Amino acid sequence: MVVSIPSAVVLSGFFVLASSALSTKFTELHFIFGRFVFVSSLSTLLIGGLLLVIRKMLFSQILGLLIMENAIFLAANSVATGMPLIVELGVLFDIFISILISSVLLLRIKRKFEDIKVEALEVLKE
């Protein structure tokens, strides 16, 4: 990790507080599920970005990207009116397929290069 675990936890707590303070600025938005869902989606987006930035393992970075994608979907769902069930099932299928594809790619990278740390994979740029 780039940052230690206690520092990352403190930074995540700061992100939750900052997203709570930021959501009070959006008074013109009419929240369907309430302000709490928007706060949790915004803090999840920030924590997923933090996970994407501070972790060195490729799997953790892919997980951070998937967390950010789900947070964006949750924010859109909390602000907009409801979606049909078929759209929600399509998003669930999309998440399942992306996890499946990323795990297959991760296993292939590990088998080919014997490491999945980003620093070891930076040699491939040259």
Side-chain angles (χ1 to χ4, degrees):
M1 289 180 61
V2 177
V3 179
S4 66
I5 293 175
S7 300
V9 169
V10 168
L11 205 56
S12 298
F14 174 72
F15 283 159
V16 171
L17 291 175
S19 64
S20 177
L22 189 67
S23 70
T24 59
K25 304 291 183 192
F26 296 129
T27 56
E28 67 272 357
L29 288 178
H30 177 68
F31 297 111
I32 302 300
F33 296 114
R35 194 174 69 95
F36 177 72
V37 176
F38 185 72
V39 168
S40 63
S41 66
L42 189 60
S43 62
T44 304
L45 178 74
L46 292 173
I47 291 171
L50 178 72
L51 186 66
L52 187 67
V53 170
I54 68 168
R55 299 294 287 200
K56 292 183 180 180
M57 299 291 287
L58 190 60
F59 179 72
S60 299
Q61 290 179 345
I62 291 172
L63 194 64
L65 190 64
L66 288 173
I67 288 171
M68 287 177 65
E69 177 187 8
N70 290 332
I72 291 170
F73 172 73
L74 183 63
N77 204 9
S78 69
V79 174
T81 57
M83 287 188 229
L85 180 64
I86 192 71
V87 174
E88 292 179 6
L89 289 175
V91 169
L92 180 68
F93 183 70
D94 176 45
I95 292 169
F96 176 70
I97 293 300
S98 63
I99 288 173
L100 185 68
I101 289 172
S102 63
S103 63
V104 167
L105 288 175
L106 197 71
L107 287 173
R108 284 189 169 191
I109 288 172
K110 187 173 182 172
R111 191 177 305 138
K112 176 103 175 158
F113 299 109
E114 299 172 354
D115 201 3
I116 54 173
K117 289 190 179 179
V118 176
E119 292 129 356
L121 296 176
E122 284 180 356
V123 179
L124 299 176
K125 284 196 263 185
E126 298 172 358

